[in-house]
PDB file of all heavy atoms in Angstrom:
ATOM      1  N   LEU A  40    -152.671  -6.217 -50.109  1.00 96.00           N
ATOM      2  CA  LEU A  40    -151.653  -7.234 -50.303  1.00 96.00           C
ATOM      3  C   LEU A  40    -151.767  -8.311 -49.235  1.00 96.00           C
ATOM      4  O   LEU A  40    -152.010  -8.024 -48.068  1.00 96.00           O
ATOM      5  CB  LEU A  40    -150.263  -6.599 -50.262  1.00 96.00           C
ATOM      6  CG  LEU A  40    -150.030  -5.483 -51.284  1.00 96.00           C
ATOM      7  CD1 LEU A  40    -148.641  -4.899 -51.110  1.00 96.00           C
ATOM      8  CD2 LEU A  40    -150.210  -6.002 -52.685  1.00 96.00           C
ATOM      9  N   VAL A  57    -145.952 -12.476 -51.565  1.00 97.00           N
ATOM     10  CA  VAL A  57    -146.766 -11.270 -51.461  1.00 97.00           C
ATOM     11  C   VAL A  57    -147.651 -11.267 -52.705  1.00 97.00           C
ATOM     12  O   VAL A  57    -147.157 -11.173 -53.823  1.00 97.00           O
ATOM     13  CB  VAL A  57    -145.901  -9.997 -51.410  1.00 97.00           C
ATOM     14  CG1 VAL A  57    -146.778  -8.759 -51.325  1.00 97.00           C
ATOM     15  CG2 VAL A  57    -144.932 -10.058 -50.248  1.00 97.00           C
ATOM     16  N   ALA A  69    -140.520  -3.060 -59.194  1.00 96.00           N
ATOM     17  CA  ALA A  69    -139.922  -2.056 -58.313  1.00 96.00           C
ATOM     18  C   ALA A  69    -140.224  -2.368 -56.849  1.00 96.00           C
ATOM     19  O   ALA A  69    -139.339  -2.254 -55.986  1.00 96.00           O
ATOM     20  CB  ALA A  69    -140.431  -0.667 -58.670  1.00 96.00           C
ATOM     21  N   LEU A  70    -141.453  -2.779 -56.567  1.00 96.00           N
ATOM     22  CA  LEU A  70    -141.804  -3.151 -55.194  1.00 96.00           C
ATOM     23  C   LEU A  70    -141.052  -4.402 -54.771  1.00 96.00           C
ATOM     24  O   LEU A  70    -140.570  -4.491 -53.638  1.00 96.00           O
ATOM     25  CB  LEU A  70    -143.316  -3.369 -55.069  1.00 96.00           C
ATOM     26  CG  LEU A  70    -143.827  -3.748 -53.679  1.00 96.00           C
ATOM     27  CD1 LEU A  70    -143.489  -2.678 -52.655  1.00 96.00           C
ATOM     28  CD2 LEU A  70    -145.322  -4.000 -53.720  1.00 96.00           C
ATOM     29  N   GLY A  71    -140.924  -5.370 -55.669  1.00 97.00           N
ATOM     30  CA  GLY A  71    -140.161  -6.575 -55.363  1.00 97.00           C
ATOM     31  C   GLY A  71    -138.710  -6.270 -55.066  1.00 97.00           C
ATOM     32  O   GLY A  71    -138.113  -6.826 -54.138  1.00 97.00           O
ATOM     33  N   LYS A  72    -138.123  -5.369 -55.846  1.00 97.00           N
ATOM     34  CA  LYS A  72    -136.727  -4.991 -55.614  1.00 97.00           C
ATOM     35  C   LYS A  72    -136.566  -4.303 -54.266  1.00 97.00           C
ATOM     36  O   LYS A  72    -135.591  -4.544 -53.548  1.00 97.00           O
ATOM     37  CB  LYS A  72    -136.254  -4.077 -56.742  1.00 97.00           C
ATOM     38  CG  LYS A  72    -134.800  -3.716 -56.621  1.00 97.00           C
ATOM     39  CD  LYS A  72    -134.298  -2.948 -57.807  1.00 97.00           C
ATOM     40  CE  LYS A  72    -132.825  -2.655 -57.605  1.00 97.00           C
ATOM     41  NZ  LYS A  72    -132.204  -2.086 -58.768  1.00 97.00           N
ATOM     42  N   LEU A  73    -137.523  -3.449 -53.911  1.00 97.00           N
ATOM     43  CA  LEU A  73    -137.478  -2.774 -52.613  1.00 97.00           C
ATOM     44  C   LEU A  73    -137.503  -3.789 -51.477  1.00 97.00           C
ATOM     45  O   LEU A  73    -136.693  -3.709 -50.536  1.00 97.00           O
ATOM     46  CB  LEU A  73    -138.662  -1.808 -52.488  1.00 97.00           C
ATOM     47  CG  LEU A  73    -138.844  -1.181 -51.102  1.00 97.00           C
ATOM     48  CD1 LEU A  73    -137.869  -0.037 -50.926  1.00 97.00           C
ATOM     49  CD2 LEU A  73    -140.264  -0.723 -50.919  1.00 97.00           C
ATOM     50  N   LEU A  74    -138.417  -4.770 -51.561  1.00 97.00           N
ATOM     51  CA  LEU A  74    -138.531  -5.772 -50.497  1.00 97.00           C
ATOM     52  C   LEU A  74    -137.279  -6.643 -50.415  1.00 97.00           C
ATOM     53  O   LEU A  74    -136.783  -6.939 -49.319  1.00 97.00           O
ATOM     54  CB  LEU A  74    -139.769  -6.637 -50.721  1.00 97.00           C
ATOM     55  CG  LEU A  74    -141.114  -5.940 -50.559  1.00 97.00           C
ATOM     56  CD1 LEU A  74    -142.246  -6.878 -50.936  1.00 97.00           C
ATOM     57  CD2 LEU A  74    -141.288  -5.429 -49.148  1.00 97.00           C
ATOM     58  N   LYS A  75    -136.751  -7.054 -51.562  1.00 97.00           N
ATOM     59  CA  LYS A  75    -135.563  -7.898 -51.566  1.00 97.00           C
ATOM     60  C   LYS A  75    -134.362  -7.151 -50.996  1.00 97.00           C
ATOM     61  O   LYS A  75    -133.568  -7.717 -50.238  1.00 97.00           O
ATOM     62  CB  LYS A  75    -135.239  -8.373 -52.981  1.00 97.00           C
ATOM     63  CG  LYS A  75    -136.255  -9.364 -53.518  1.00 97.00           C
ATOM     64  CD  LYS A  75    -135.839  -9.930 -54.849  1.00 97.00           C
ATOM     65  CE  LYS A  75    -135.788  -8.870 -55.921  1.00 97.00           C
ATOM     66  NZ  LYS A  75    -135.467  -9.397 -57.244  1.00 97.00           N
ATOM     67  N   THR A  76    -134.243  -5.864 -51.318  1.00 97.00           N
ATOM     68  CA  THR A  76    -133.128  -5.066 -50.820  1.00 97.00           C
ATOM     69  C   THR A  76    -133.223  -4.864 -49.312  1.00 97.00           C
ATOM     70  O   THR A  76    -132.230  -5.022 -48.595  1.00 97.00           O
ATOM     71  CB  THR A  76    -133.113  -3.692 -51.523  1.00 97.00           C
ATOM     72  OG1 THR A  76    -133.034  -3.907 -52.921  1.00 97.00           O
ATOM     73  CG2 THR A  76    -131.932  -2.863 -51.069  1.00 97.00           C
ATOM     74  N   ARG A  77    -134.408  -4.526 -48.838  1.00 96.00           N
ATOM     75  CA  ARG A  77    -134.580  -4.270 -47.406  1.00 96.00           C
ATOM     76  C   ARG A  77    -134.416  -5.534 -46.560  1.00 96.00           C
ATOM     77  O   ARG A  77    -133.964  -5.469 -45.430  1.00 96.00           O
ATOM     78  CB  ARG A  77    -135.943  -3.658 -47.132  1.00 96.00           C
ATOM     79  CG  ARG A  77    -136.116  -2.293 -47.748  1.00 96.00           C
ATOM     80  CD  ARG A  77    -136.105  -1.196 -46.715  1.00 96.00           C
ATOM     81  NE  ARG A  77    -136.268   0.096 -47.318  1.00 96.00           N
ATOM     82  CZ  ARG A  77    -137.373   0.800 -47.281  1.00 96.00           C
ATOM     83  NH1 ARG A  77    -138.434   0.335 -46.673  1.00 96.00           N
ATOM     84  NH2 ARG A  77    -137.421   1.980 -47.846  1.00 96.00           N
ATOM     85  N   CYS A  78    -134.805  -6.695 -47.121  1.00 96.00           N
ATOM     86  CA  CYS A  78    -134.659  -7.952 -46.384  1.00 96.00           C
ATOM     87  C   CYS A  78    -133.260  -8.545 -46.567  1.00 96.00           C
ATOM     88  O   CYS A  78    -132.846  -9.396 -45.788  1.00 96.00           O
ATOM     89  CB  CYS A  78    -135.703  -8.965 -46.839  1.00 96.00           C
ATOM     90  SG  CYS A  78    -137.380  -8.531 -46.385  1.00 96.00           S
ATOM     91  N   GLY A  79    -132.550  -8.121 -47.604  1.00 97.00           N
ATOM     92  CA  GLY A  79    -131.207  -8.618 -47.849  1.00 97.00           C
ATOM     93  C   GLY A  79    -131.182 -10.049 -48.365  1.00 97.00           C
ATOM     94  O   GLY A  79    -130.247 -10.791 -48.085  1.00 97.00           O
ATOM     95  N   VAL A  80    -132.200 -10.434 -49.113  1.00 97.00           N
ATOM     96  CA  VAL A  80    -132.287 -11.793 -49.646  1.00 97.00           C
ATOM     97  C   VAL A  80    -132.649 -11.740 -51.121  1.00 97.00           C
ATOM     98  O   VAL A  80    -132.932 -10.687 -51.668  1.00 97.00           O
ATOM     99  CB  VAL A  80    -133.336 -12.644 -48.889  1.00 97.00           C
ATOM    100  CG1 VAL A  80    -132.940 -12.839 -47.447  1.00 97.00           C
ATOM    101  CG2 VAL A  80    -134.711 -12.006 -48.975  1.00 97.00           C
ATOM    102  N   ILE A  89    -144.860 -11.515 -55.637  1.00 97.00           N
ATOM    103  CA  ILE A  89    -143.478 -11.256 -55.261  1.00 97.00           C
ATOM    104  C   ILE A  89    -143.040 -12.418 -54.389  1.00 97.00           C
ATOM    105  O   ILE A  89    -143.704 -12.752 -53.409  1.00 97.00           O
ATOM    106  CB  ILE A  89    -143.342  -9.928 -54.494  1.00 97.00           C
ATOM    107  CG1 ILE A  89    -143.842  -8.775 -55.360  1.00 97.00           C
ATOM    108  CG2 ILE A  89    -141.901  -9.708 -54.063  1.00 97.00           C
ATOM    109  CD1 ILE A  89    -143.948  -7.468 -54.625  1.00 97.00           C
ATOM    110  N   ILE A  91    -140.096 -13.862 -51.994  1.00 97.00           N
ATOM    111  CA  ILE A  91    -138.927 -13.520 -51.194  1.00 97.00           C
ATOM    112  C   ILE A  91    -138.417 -14.804 -50.547  1.00 97.00           C
ATOM    113  O   ILE A  91    -139.187 -15.519 -49.893  1.00 97.00           O
ATOM    114  CB  ILE A  91    -139.277 -12.492 -50.086  1.00 97.00           C
ATOM    115  CG1 ILE A  91    -139.951 -11.263 -50.674  1.00 97.00           C
ATOM    116  CG2 ILE A  91    -138.046 -12.117 -49.279  1.00 97.00           C
ATOM    117  CD1 ILE A  91    -139.082 -10.417 -51.544  1.00 97.00           C
ATOM    118  N   LYS A  98    -141.264  -8.868 -41.250  1.00 97.00           N
ATOM    119  CA  LYS A  98    -140.479  -7.749 -41.768  1.00 97.00           C
ATOM    120  C   LYS A  98    -141.100  -7.189 -43.047  1.00 97.00           C
ATOM    121  O   LYS A  98    -141.159  -5.968 -43.232  1.00 97.00           O
ATOM    122  CB  LYS A  98    -139.038  -8.180 -42.030  1.00 97.00           C
ATOM    123  CG  LYS A  98    -138.143  -7.038 -42.385  1.00 97.00           C
ATOM    124  CD  LYS A  98    -136.692  -7.428 -42.323  1.00 97.00           C
ATOM    125  CE  LYS A  98    -135.831  -6.196 -42.560  1.00 97.00           C
ATOM    126  NZ  LYS A  98    -134.425  -6.451 -42.376  1.00 97.00           N
ATOM    127  N   VAL A  99    -141.582  -8.060 -43.922  1.00 97.00           N
ATOM    128  CA  VAL A  99    -142.232  -7.614 -45.155  1.00 97.00           C
ATOM    129  C   VAL A  99    -143.508  -6.830 -44.822  1.00 97.00           C
ATOM    130  O   VAL A  99    -143.782  -5.792 -45.423  1.00 97.00           O
ATOM    131  CB  VAL A  99    -142.532  -8.812 -46.086  1.00 97.00           C
ATOM    132  CG1 VAL A  99    -143.472  -8.423 -47.207  1.00 97.00           C
ATOM    133  CG2 VAL A  99    -141.244  -9.380 -46.653  1.00 97.00           C
ATOM    134  N   ALA A 100    -144.260  -7.303 -43.850  1.00 97.00           N
ATOM    135  CA  ALA A 100    -145.481  -6.592 -43.439  1.00 97.00           C
ATOM    136  C   ALA A 100    -145.136  -5.209 -42.893  1.00 97.00           C
ATOM    137  O   ALA A 100    -145.829  -4.225 -43.205  1.00 97.00           O
ATOM    138  CB  ALA A 100    -146.237  -7.404 -42.392  1.00 97.00           C
ATOM    139  N   ILE A 102    -142.457  -3.368 -43.621  1.00 97.00           N
ATOM    140  CA  ILE A 102    -141.984  -2.538 -44.735  1.00 97.00           C
ATOM    141  C   ILE A 102    -143.152  -2.034 -45.572  1.00 97.00           C
ATOM    142  O   ILE A 102    -143.225  -0.846 -45.911  1.00 97.00           O
ATOM    143  CB  ILE A 102    -140.990  -3.331 -45.612  1.00 97.00           C
ATOM    144  CG1 ILE A 102    -139.710  -3.632 -44.835  1.00 97.00           C
ATOM    145  CG2 ILE A 102    -140.661  -2.576 -46.892  1.00 97.00           C
ATOM    146  CD1 ILE A 102    -138.795  -4.653 -45.515  1.00 97.00           C
ATOM    147  N   LEU A 103    -144.080  -2.934 -45.890  1.00 96.00           N
ATOM    148  CA  LEU A 103    -145.222  -2.542 -46.713  1.00 96.00           C
ATOM    149  C   LEU A 103    -146.117  -1.531 -45.997  1.00 96.00           C
ATOM    150  O   LEU A 103    -146.632  -0.598 -46.602  1.00 96.00           O
ATOM    151  CB  LEU A 103    -146.041  -3.778 -47.121  1.00 96.00           C
ATOM    152  CG  LEU A 103    -145.360  -4.707 -48.123  1.00 96.00           C
ATOM    153  CD1 LEU A 103    -146.206  -5.961 -48.314  1.00 96.00           C
ATOM    154  CD2 LEU A 103    -145.122  -4.014 -49.440  1.00 96.00           C
ATOM    155  N   GLU A 106    -144.514   1.844 -46.126  1.00 94.00           N
ATOM    156  CA  GLU A 106    -144.581   2.405 -47.470  1.00 94.00           C
ATOM    157  C   GLU A 106    -145.995   2.879 -47.821  1.00 94.00           C
ATOM    158  O   GLU A 106    -146.186   3.523 -48.833  1.00 94.00           O
ATOM    159  CB  GLU A 106    -144.132   1.367 -48.506  1.00 94.00           C
ATOM    160  CG  GLU A 106    -142.652   1.076 -48.468  1.00 94.00           C
ATOM    161  CD  GLU A 106    -141.803   2.267 -48.888  1.00 94.00           C
ATOM    162  OE1 GLU A 106    -142.191   2.961 -49.861  1.00 94.00           O
ATOM    163  OE2 GLU A 106    -140.790   2.508 -48.239  1.00 94.00           O
TER     164      GLU A 106
END
Side-chain angles (χ1 to χ4, degrees):
L40 303 178
V57 179
L70 181 60
K72 184 174 181 172
L73 172 80
L74 292 175
K75 291 186 295 184
T76 303
R77 295 252 180 105
C78 292
V80 296
I89 301 171
I91 306 293
K98 188 167 185 174
V99 167
I102 293 168
L103 290 174
E106 289 293 319

